[in-house]
Amino acid sequence: MPSATLEISAQPPEKLTGIQIDKTKTAAAGVPAVTNSLKHVYGNSGLLRGTAAMLKINQWKGFDCPSCAWPDPDDHRSAFEFCENGAKAIASETTKQRVTPEVFAQYSVAELSQWSDFEMDQAGRVTHPMVLREGETHYQPIAWKEAFDLIAQELNSLSSPDEAVFYTSGRATNEAAFLYQLFVRQFGTNNLPDCSNMCHESSGAAMMEAVGIGKGTVTLKDLETADTILIIGQNPGTNHPRMLTSLQRSVEAGATIIAVNPMKEAGLTGFMHPQQVKGVMGMSTPLATQFLQVRLNGDQALLKAIAKTLIEDGTYDEAFIREHTVGFDEYRTHLLALDWAELESISGLQRADMEKAARQCAGRQRKLITCWAMGLTQHKNAVATIQEVINIHLLLGAVGRESAGLCPVRGHSNVQGDRTMGVFEKMPEWFMDRLEQVFEFKVPRHHGWDVVASIRAMHEGRGKVFYALGGNFLQATPDTEYTAEALRRCHLTVQISTKLNRSHLVTGRTGLILPCLGRSEVDIRGNTDSFLTVENSMSVVHTSHGQLEPASPHLLSEPDIIARTAAAVLGDRSKVDWMYLAEDYDRIRDLIEKVVPGFEDFNVRVRQPGGFYLPNPVRERQWVVPGGKAKIKTHALDCVTTSAGQLVLQTFRSHDQFNTTVYGLNDRYRGIGNERRVIFMNPDDMKSRSISPVSPVDITSHFQGEERHARRFLAIPYDLPAGSCAAYFPEANVLVPIGSFADISLTPTSKSVIVTVTSSQP
Ligand SMILES: Nc1nc2c(c(=O)[nH]1)N[C@H]1C(S)=C(S)[C@@H](COP(=O)(O)OP(=O)(O)OC[C@H]3O[C@@H](n4cnc5c(=O)[nH]c(N)nc54)[C@H](O)[C@@H]3O)O[C@H]1N2
Ligand SMILES: Nc1nc2c(c(=O)[nH]1)N[C@H]1C(S)=C(S)[C@@H](COP(=O)(O)OP(=O)(O)OC[C@H]3O[C@@H](n4cnc5c(=O)[nH]c(N)nc54)[C@H](O)[C@@H]3O)O[C@H]1N2
Ligand SMILES: [Mo]
């Protein structure tokens, strides 16, 4: 077919790839994790480059693993501080394959858009800056200088700086993020949406209001000495595998783990340590001893049931509540009035099991830690639900002391650091004041757009230039076809990227790809190789030192790209010497120190092995909220509701992907091989719809009278509560309505999509 008539597809192809079904696993890791890591690394990167990369991950003088944000041990490092999925991330970045100008000349954008996400990842690293000019079918190479001039021309011809959108994905380092937000604010806008808007925004919003800080309050040592660890809405075996090593240590030291999840994820039930004899022999350490198979979004009812039990049993910490909190009386009255039958029906759990969990949390010394991730954050009532988690901790005084506290487990390796650096559409006034003092410019104070607001603005023509520091905006965001249209209506879309993705193919009138160095690569500044810094999920700031030869001599570092953009766009409007800063990252760090609290002596302290902890007032039982006391918040009991015949769909990750990057087609622990277009369903829900196992179905989502469709998914009977089902993102994102987002945090409700499922028409 001639490429001119082929349409540019915003979605992965509907093609099925030949499913193979295996048993679901009851323990994570073990030998298959090691063999799989090796397969990915050596298959993609080759023996020498692969081995060099693997030996440098998460070492004191190595680079930070670009996969998750789980912390590294404070006091020791083994030779292999990585996991199967870290290995896949590295293999994907250090691959020998290249997307060169020749590849772009060979395939039109429309042809590339027929590739699956897996094929795009396999294609390798982008080697040259590329431009897709208006009316053209193919990307062409462009000189860096010309690219920056083009950006400057588009941005400077907007009628207001607020017509531009500057997105950030959570892999950007502290130095890149700091320079970026400075550039964007000097340009004149706070339109700084980030992946956090779709991720832990609900956690940040809930915690800020209740305890005055939006970050986790525990360290690895706390986790390893806790009595009870609640893991809610998280799949650590796939998404935070190094956490399993910590959990194993906790269990061996006597901790009890309670898991709350609609799916019996392998990494919650057992762990075979791949570097210990026992694990290699296939013997697993049992992890969760209580598994609460909650309905999708039934957590609030469960958490209230736990709190109610604490009140009815009188096992709360009265002295702590009196001294440190407000709101107890109202909460107590609310809990006592709740009806057990209703709590049971909403959560899908038995009263006795919920009481048992409560008594475990209150037992011994109330050393409770709660870990949570996307299973709590991506629902309409996410903020309220997370505040129920906080309430339980406040009732028990299980916060701000050793071995207890709140642990939102972050996703992207530096998503937390990017926020600390000011990437946020509504940074607090004190931060803006400091920027103004240090850099002597008028900082825009009106709030900017988050992800959903940005998409809407671009769709309505109010947002005209889209610039992305990493990520894959089109596929990470909800409502794929709506978002695609939003991007197409832009004058210019710019993507700073390492690998080819679908956001490169659905562009504005002009599209630019600016290829950058990855974490693993040497970054020469002056005559020496330099390092960058990141902050992990437990607020440790440390270095990341690239080691490998860059994938192409034409790549620039992220700070360099931002500095050159800023210099071209702002010219003499800015007093900042951008190129001087990009020459030596110590200079950027000196400026960070002047603006961001907790970074005193940044350049000295970050050079210490392991880095340093940022201050965390909650750990000192200081509540930086109006009134100075932690807030016990009372919310009416609430849950997503469906009509007859409808199900609630969650969109989540398979074992072989990192967000929108698809490393492979298997989801080993859930027993799925070689297929991504699957929907996991309760067997009774399948029977009542006359859907036979592994047959093709179509999914329709329903929201305020609108329908959205996803076709040809294979229905997999699975052990999950009736009324709940699950499919992978990004394939299922087309079903997530743009108008459906969480109260307060505005996070898209990717885990509670109302759907109907019917057999596909042949
Ligand atoms: N290998 C790998 N690692 C990653 C990522 C990746 O894609 N691949 N992504 C990174 C990022 S950015 C993030 S944010 C994290 C994501 O880490 P997770 O939050 O673990 O990611 P999800 O796959 O979305 O899984 C959500 C889990 O919550 C459960 N769940 C869904 N809805 C509910 C609910 O209503 N209640 C409860 N109790 N549970 C529910 C699901 O069954 C699933 O086990 O991982 C990070 N690490
Ligand atoms: N339906 C549904 N949607 C979701 C979610 C869900 O659970 N369900 N989860 C949400 C969550 S938690 C998140 S965090 C977002 C993720 O959203 P994003 O962060 O936007 O997406 P990623 O898939 O992580 O981005 C991958 C791309 O980043 C680029 N990249 C990789 N490394 C680097 C680097 O070092 N530098 C630069 N500049 N680019 C790099 C590559 O080109 C790659 O294609 O997705 C969200 N979307
Ligand atoms: Mo995330």
Side-chain angles (χ1 to χ4, degrees):
M1 202 187 313
S3 55
T5 60
L6 199 62
E7 288 211 355
I8 298 173
S9 169
Q11 292 183 53
E14 280 179 13
K15 207 172 58 197
L16 299 175
T17 41
I19 193 165
Q20 288 157 10
I21 296 187
D22 198 355
K23 282 204 301 281
T24 54
K25 310 294 181 288
T26 53
V31 172
V34 177
T35 46
N36 252 297
S37 311
L38 297 179
K39 200 174 81 192
H40 276 268
V41 172
Y42 297 128
N44 284 298
S45 327
L47 192 60
L48 278 178
R49 200 170 158 83
T51 308
M54 300 317 291
L55 289 173
K56 290 296 182 189
I57 301 186
N58 293 338
Q59 299 301 314
W60 278 322
K61 288 215 74 178
F63 56 88
D64 182 56
C65 178
S67 196
C68 74
W70 190 253
D72 312 304
D74 284 336
D75 47 356
H76 62 274
R77 297 287 155 93
S78 73
F80 293 97
E81 280 302 338
F82 66 93
C83 64
E84 178 187 352
N85 281 338
K88 290 178 195 160
I90 290 300
S92 168
E93 183 172 299
T94 61
T95 172
K96 287 181 294 187
Q97 303 301 316
R98 298 289 177 266
V99 184
T100 57
E102 290 71 39
V103 175
F104 283 113
Q106 188 180 352
Y107 300 101
S108 70
V109 171
E111 283 166 341
L112 291 172
S113 80
Q114 309 304 311
W115 293 9
S116 69
D117 300 321
F118 176 53
E119 288 164 326
M120 285 193 209
D121 185 59
Q122 291 290 301
R125 291 281 298 274
V126 181
T127 58
H128 289 67
M130 303 295 298
V131 63
L132 182 66
R133 297 190 197 274
E134 190 177 2
E136 294 287 340
T137 54
H138 290 68
Y139 267 99
Q140 291 159 3
I142 181 172
W144 277 107
K145 166 128 193 356
E146 204 192 327
F148 294 119
D149 289 345
L150 200 158
I151 296 168
Q153 191 195 328
E154 289 287 356
L155 282 176
N156 288 331
S157 59
L158 294 176
S159 48
S160 150
D162 287 330
E163 291 179 344
V165 174
F166 297 90
Y167 175 69
T168 311
S169 164
R171 229 176 240 188
T173 55
N174 291 332
E175 292 76 6
F178 185 81
L179 270 198
Y180 189 53
Q181 61 81 33
L182 179 63
F183 155 59
V184 171
R185 295 197 163 103
Q186 291 207 339
F187 176 66
T189 182
N190 283 306
N191 287 344
L192 281 160
D194 66 353
C195 68
S196 208
N197 295 149
M198 299 177 272
C199 186
H200 267 293
E201 197 70 68
S202 306
S203 309
M207 289 182 68
M208 277 304 278
E209 188 188 15
V211 296
I213 187 168
K215 301 179 179 184
T217 73
V218 298
T219 64
L220 271 189
K221 186 159 162 274
D222 292 324
L223 198 83
E224 289 168 9
T225 52
D227 287 340
T228 308
I229 303 171
L230 258 175
I231 305 177
I232 316 184
Q234 191 201 347
N235 178 20
T238 286
N239 298 316
H240 305 91
R242 285 182 303 121
M243 179 176 171
L244 301 188
T245 312
S246 307
L247 293 178
Q248 184 188 25
R249 288 205 195 108
S250 316
V251 167
E252 285 169 357
T256 298
I257 296 178
I258 304 173
V260 182
N261 202 304
M263 320 267 291
K264 286 193 178 143
E265 310 284 23
L268 295 171
T269 47
F271 175 48
M272 293 179 278
H273 198 309
Q275 288 154 32
Q276 288 177 359
V277 176
K278 205 174 125 189
V280 175
M281 304 283 288
M283 286 149 67
S284 67
T285 305
L287 294 178
T289 40
Q290 193 181 4
F291 192 89
L292 295 168
Q293 195 166 17
V294 70
R295 288 231 171 97
L296 275 177
N297 197 225
D299 305 86
Q300 215 186 82
L302 162 67
L303 294 163
K304 283 188 193 285
I306 291 177
K308 183 176 168 74
T309 308
L310 300 179
I311 298 289
E312 289 177 353
D313 287 0
T315 45
Y316 49 91
D317 183 343
E318 228 178 314
F320 176 88
I321 294 170
R322 212 177 322 114
E323 192 182 341
H324 291 286
T325 72
V326 293
F328 175 70
D329 291 337
E330 187 190 348
Y331 190 49
R332 182 174 179 278
T333 310
H334 163 74
L335 292 173
L336 290 174
L338 289 174
D339 174 27
W340 275 106
E342 197 184 3
L343 295 174
E344 285 186 320
S345 87
I346 293 180
S347 63
L349 301 167
Q350 303 286 317
R351 173 175 179 173
D353 292 329
M354 298 193 275
E355 285 176 338
K356 183 178 165 203
R359 288 173 189 144
Q360 172 61 40
C361 295
R364 293 196 274 182
Q365 299 174 52
R366 302 179 183 135
K367 289 182 177 171
L368 170 70
I369 291 181
T370 304
C371 303
W372 74 90
M374 298 305 100
L376 284 196
T377 64
Q378 299 173 335
H379 296 284
K380 180 155 193 306
N381 55 6
V383 173
T385 302
I386 294 164
Q387 288 184 338
E388 295 293 342
V389 172
I390 301 170
N391 287 350
I392 291 172
H393 281 260
L394 294 175
L395 288 183
L396 291 171
V399 60
R401 66 187 178 94
E402 274 181 17
S403 320
L406 301 164
C407 184
V409 183
R410 300 281 156 181
H412 261 302
S413 51
N414 198 41
V415 61
Q416 187 161 316
D418 292 344
R419 271 296 160 86
T420 308
M421 293 299 114
V423 171
F424 191 22
E425 74 279 0
K426 43 182 186 208
M427 276 308 272
E429 287 298 313
W430 64 259
F431 183 90
M432 305 304 216
D433 292 343
R434 287 218 185 187
L435 270 188
E436 209 153 84
Q437 282 153 17
V438 174
F439 294 99
E440 298 176 348
F441 72 105
K442 187 137 185 43
V443 176
R445 300 290 178 133
H446 55 284
H447 289 174
W449 296 326
D450 69 342
V451 162
V452 170
S454 297
I455 298 170
R456 286 210 155 127
M458 292 187 284
H459 202 274
E460 289 162 15
R462 291 178 287 122
K464 296 185 172 130
V465 173
F466 177 82
Y467 186 105
L469 175 54
N472 182 0
F473 191 80
L474 170 68
Q475 280 186 291
T477 51
D479 222 337
T480 312
E481 293 299 338
Y482 182 93
T483 300
E485 191 50 35
L487 291 169
R488 287 186 194 111
R489 289 180 186 172
C490 287
H491 299 179
L492 173 70
T493 47
V494 183
Q495 306 283 345
I496 304 175
S497 309
T498 51
K499 308 266 318 237
L500 182 67
N501 66 46
R502 214 167 286 279
S503 298
H504 300 145
L505 308 178
V506 175
T507 66
R509 210 156 58 196
T510 306
L512 274 175
I513 305 175
L514 308 181
C516 66
L517 293 173
R519 283 271 175 88
S520 57
E521 292 166 331
V522 175
D523 185 357
I524 304 285
R525 307 277 105 198
N527 292 321
T528 46
D529 60 341
S530 61
F531 66 85
L532 290 156
T533 68
V534 293
E535 173 185 341
N536 67 30
S537 205
M538 292 179 179
S539 303
V540 178
V541 178
H542 62 88
T543 59
S544 179
H545 201 141
Q547 306 283 333
L548 304 184
E549 192 189 326
S552 146
H554 306 285
L555 305 181
L556 296 181
S557 75
E558 289 179 344
D560 206 350
I561 293 176
I562 295 155
R564 290 175 199 230
T565 305
V569 173
L570 300 175
D572 0 318
R573 271 185 286 156
S574 174
K575 291 185 196 155
V576 176
D577 188 343
W578 298 94
M579 297 321 296
Y580 173 80
L581 294 181
E583 274 164 25
D584 179 351
Y585 302 145
D586 276 3
R587 295 169 186 163
I588 306 177
R589 285 186 282 271
D590 285 339
L591 293 173
I592 293 173
E593 176 174 342
K594 288 193 182 151
V595 175
V596 191
F599 284 82
E600 295 74 22
D601 275 333
F602 189 8
N603 271 310
V604 176
R605 287 195 299 152
V606 83
R607 284 177 161 86
Q608 296 159 0
F612 60 91
Y613 276 93
L614 287 175
N616 188 316
V618 169
R619 289 184 61 81
E620 318 298 324
R621 295 201 160 170
Q622 285 166 14
W623 320 101
V624 192
V625 289
K629 286 194 173 190
K631 290 197 173 58
I632 297 178
K633 297 279 300 179
T634 301
H635 299 278
L637 176 60
D638 170 54
C639 178
V640 61
T641 50
T642 52
S643 313
Q646 295 180 331
L647 302 171
V648 184
L649 171 85
Q650 65 150 322
T651 56
F652 64 176
R653 293 152 174 82
S654 82
H655 191 60
D656 273 2
Q657 74 184 84
F658 189 92
N659 300 337
T660 69
T661 303
V662 175
Y663 304 134
L665 300 178
N666 302 329
D667 193 5
R668 196 172 74 243
Y669 298 148
R670 300 193 188 110
I672 302 296
N674 202 43
E675 186 58 80
R676 288 189 53 82
R677 295 187 80 83
V678 295
I679 174 168
F680 299 92
M681 295 180 72
N682 171 287
D684 294 334
D685 288 338
M686 289 178 61
K687 261 187 225 128
S688 61
R689 288 165 180 75
S690 308
I691 295 170
S692 46
V694 207
S695 66
V697 294
D698 296 335
I699 316 171
T700 303
S701 72
H702 305 270
F703 179 73
Q704 296 181 345
E706 303 160 1
E707 286 190 349
R708 290 168 176 78
H709 302 278
R711 291 187 188 82
R712 286 191 79 71
F713 282 69
L714 298 176
I716 308 296
Y718 205 83
D719 179 7
L720 43 72
S724 300
C725 57
Y728 305 135
F729 100 95
E731 286 80 354
N733 278 19
V734 65
L735 297 166
V736 185
I738 188 75
S740 177
F741 42 77
D743 301 329
I744 300 168
S745 67
L746 312 180
T747 295
T749 56
S750 309
K751 298 281 191 280
S752 41
V753 186
I754 312 285
V755 299
T756 45
V757 181
T758 52
S759 289
S760 295
Q761 298 310 315

